[in-house]
Amino acid sequence: MMPMDAIHLIGMDRSDMDGLLANMGEKAFRSKQLWQWVYQKGAVDFSSMTSIAKHMRENLALMATLKRPFIVKDLLSSDGTRKWLLRFADGQEAEMVFIPEVDRGTLCISSQVGCTLTCKFCHTGTQRLVRNLTAEEIVGQVILARDMLGDWASPPIPRKITNIVLMGMGEPLYNYENMAKALKIIMDPEGIAISKRRITLSTSGVVPMMNQCGEELGVNLAVSLHATNNVLRNEIVPLNKKYPIELLMEACRTYPGLNNARRITFEYVMLKGVNDSLTDAKALIKLIQGIPSKVNLIPFNPWPGTIYERSTDEQIHAFAEVVMKAGYPSPVRSPRGEDILAACGQLKSQSLKLKYNDRIAASEGHGC
Ligand code: SAH
Ligand code: SF4
């Protein structure tokens, strides 16, 4: 039986682990071994850590845990998309999505339970309960996904999870410290080993944290722009009142490491009759002029009670063409895993189904 105050190894960085082993009176090199068992091999218990001395494994088993988040729901779509509803130790829940594609497998993870920002088209922003996820809970999502996908094999066996996007619930730059600690663990080449070039952080525009994010973590940046003037952006992304478009664009222009091979992704949710005219498309091109970037057009994902509608396919494609002709790649994000909602609904009564689909749709809307 694990003590209530067990030491949580997942989420520990190298210096945390060094400190733990020093306290246990173990030699420093054991820390590296433990690190590899936790983050490179995905050990779920201490008895499997065969290169570690038996007494140390027994001590660890008495005082530490490798516990992952609890899976409340595990849904598999016919297109291979997989969604999990996760529950953390305090009962709070968040979601994670895996999207397999021909040349990659992308895991979309959450950074917070809920979100303090209240973007008008986003369901997460309407949820009252909000807290930051800990580094343990953020790294724990990736570890759990690897468990579930059987993705702990060593090279040359190809990895299933090749890319990570922070596009689930929450604003990652409002949880900078925990998120940065988690990402450093995830990027460590002797551990989970997903390179910064394969990680994309999506922000609604927390301008003061953007430079630090680029300098310290060097991950790809996606910026949720959604509007090309302050009047509309103030309304749909209220954070714009604090950090208006001019400041946001300046922070994008100066994002560290930007060049044509490493572009900023501007996310643009297509809301019918709100921001989807060809005049908007032209304004968008003007705004991002000179910034190495691409534009990701996201068809709006409706949720019960929303005042918005998804733009028509014709409008989305006409918009994309204007942007593309100006020299910016403008892929339209295709909805994935739509049938999972139905599959999930079959397990529930009609009203519960609505409630649950509502919750899934909220995070599915997060570009995943
Ligand atoms: N908070 C961060 C990251 C999470 S949201 C951010 O806002 O960037 C990830 C993306 O999903 C954002 O671009 C967000 O605007 C978008 N999004 C949120 N709700 C949506 C919805 N209902 N339909 C389509 N996209 C949505
Ligand atoms: Fe928060 Fe992003 Fe949703 Fe805005 S779009 S409410 S920042 S999760």
Side-chain angles (χ1 to χ4, degrees):
M1 183 77 180
M2 190 56 50
M4 289 292 284
D5 53 352
I7 295 164
H8 293 232
L9 294 187
I10 292 175
M12 277 197 169
D13 61 18
R14 282 185 185 265
S15 73
D16 294 335
M17 239 178 237
D18 290 347
L20 170 68
L21 290 217
N23 280 341
M24 288 170 69
E26 296 291 345
K27 296 208 173 70
F29 77 94
R30 295 279 180 212
S31 176
K32 190 168 162 180
Q33 287 181 323
L34 183 59
W35 177 271
Q36 289 173 340
W37 279 109
V38 176
Y39 294 125
Q40 195 171 60
K41 301 189 179 112
V44 289
D45 56 44
F46 297 102
S47 57
S48 66
M49 299 180 173
T50 45
S51 63
I52 290 179
K54 198 157 173 255
H55 77 271
M56 179 174 148
R57 281 187 263 155
E58 286 169 356
N59 280 344
L60 283 170
L62 286 175
M63 60 192 216
T65 176
L66 293 159
K67 213 167 153 203
R68 280 80 162 134
F70 176 77
I71 297 174
V72 181
K73 286 272 169 194
D74 178 352
L75 307 170
L76 176 64
S77 160
S78 58
D79 69 12
T81 302
R82 206 155 160 185
K83 296 183 185 184
W84 294 276
L85 179 64
L86 307 178
R87 186 175 297 150
F88 302 105
D90 65 350
Q92 295 294 339
E93 292 172 354
E95 288 183 22
M96 175 169 81
V97 182
F98 176 67
I99 305 149
E101 287 170 287
V102 181
D103 59 339
R104 66 180 64 190
T106 305
L107 186 69
C108 175
I109 59 174
S110 294
S111 57
Q112 297 182 305
V113 169
C115 185
T116 50
L117 301 172
T118 48
C119 302
K120 230 171 156 187
F121 52 84
C122 175
H123 193 244
T124 301
T126 66
Q127 295 177 10
R128 277 190 305 127
L129 270 168
V130 180
R131 77 163 170 86
N132 285 335
L133 293 183
T134 61
E136 176 190 2
E137 290 164 339
I138 297 169
V139 178
Q141 292 175 63
V142 182
I143 289 185
L144 180 66
R146 280 229 158 123
D147 291 348
M148 299 306 291
L149 296 167
D151 195 27
W152 287 106
S154 323
I157 295 173
R159 282 282 162 86
K160 289 184 186 146
I161 300 170
T162 59
N163 292 56
I164 290 184
V165 292
L166 282 128
M167 292 185 185
M169 293 173 129
E171 169 50 58
L173 295 187
Y174 266 10
N175 183 18
Y176 187 81
E177 222 171 282
N178 294 342
M179 190 271 311
K181 184 175 183 186
L183 283 186
K184 285 179 192 168
I185 295 169
I186 291 166
M187 294 189 292
D188 188 299
E190 271 188 325
I192 296 173
I194 296 180
S195 126
K196 62 183 181 183
R197 307 206 170 275
R198 292 182 168 274
I199 297 176
T200 302
L201 181 147
S202 175
T203 180
S204 56
V206 185
V207 168
M209 297 311 295
M210 285 166 59
N211 187 66
Q212 189 179 348
C213 173
E215 289 284 358
E216 193 180 345
L217 304 171
V219 293
N220 302 312
L221 191 69
V223 172
S224 296
L225 189 57
H226 307 318
T228 55
N229 63 73
N230 284 321
V231 175
L232 180 60
R233 199 162 189 272
N234 283 346
E235 190 188 322
I236 63 177
V237 184
L239 184 66
N240 194 70
K241 292 181 200 148
K242 209 164 172 188
Y243 309 117
I245 289 183
E246 300 71 39
L247 288 183
L248 179 59
M249 286 301 132
E250 187 50 30
C252 290
R253 263 174 228 287
T254 54
Y255 188 70
L258 213 56
N259 58 50
N260 273 337
R262 281 202 85 206
R263 299 167 182 237
I264 287 194
T265 302
F266 288 106
E267 294 165 284
Y268 198 93
V269 63
M270 297 297 286
L271 305 170
K272 190 175 184 178
V274 176
N275 65 354
D276 65 348
S277 72
L278 299 190
T279 311
D280 291 312
K282 285 174 196 148
L284 175 60
I285 298 162
K286 217 166 152 197
L287 197 61
I288 65 176
Q289 205 169 27
I291 305 178
S293 53
K294 60 181 171 188
V295 176
N296 205 338
L297 299 177
I298 316 172
F300 171 61
N301 225 315
W303 37 275
T306 180
I307 57 167
Y308 298 113
E309 283 175 67
R310 181 184 293 187
S311 307
T312 61
D313 286 352
E314 295 72 43
Q315 194 60 26
I316 296 176
H317 287 288
F319 193 108
E321 201 163 304
V322 172
V323 179
M324 211 152 52
K325 278 200 175 131
Y328 299 93
S330 53
V332 178
R333 199 174 285 169
S334 56
R336 297 280 309 246
E338 285 190 313
D339 58 323
I340 300 179
L341 305 184
C344 147
Q346 284 160 18
L347 306 172
K348 304 256 171 190
S349 73
Q350 191 62 28
S351 64
L352 279 175
K353 181 167 80 182
L354 248 182
K355 227 173 169 178
Y356 181 65
N357 285 356
D358 190 13
R359 192 155 52 167
I360 292 281
S363 64
E364 191 204 44
H366 292 178
C368 294

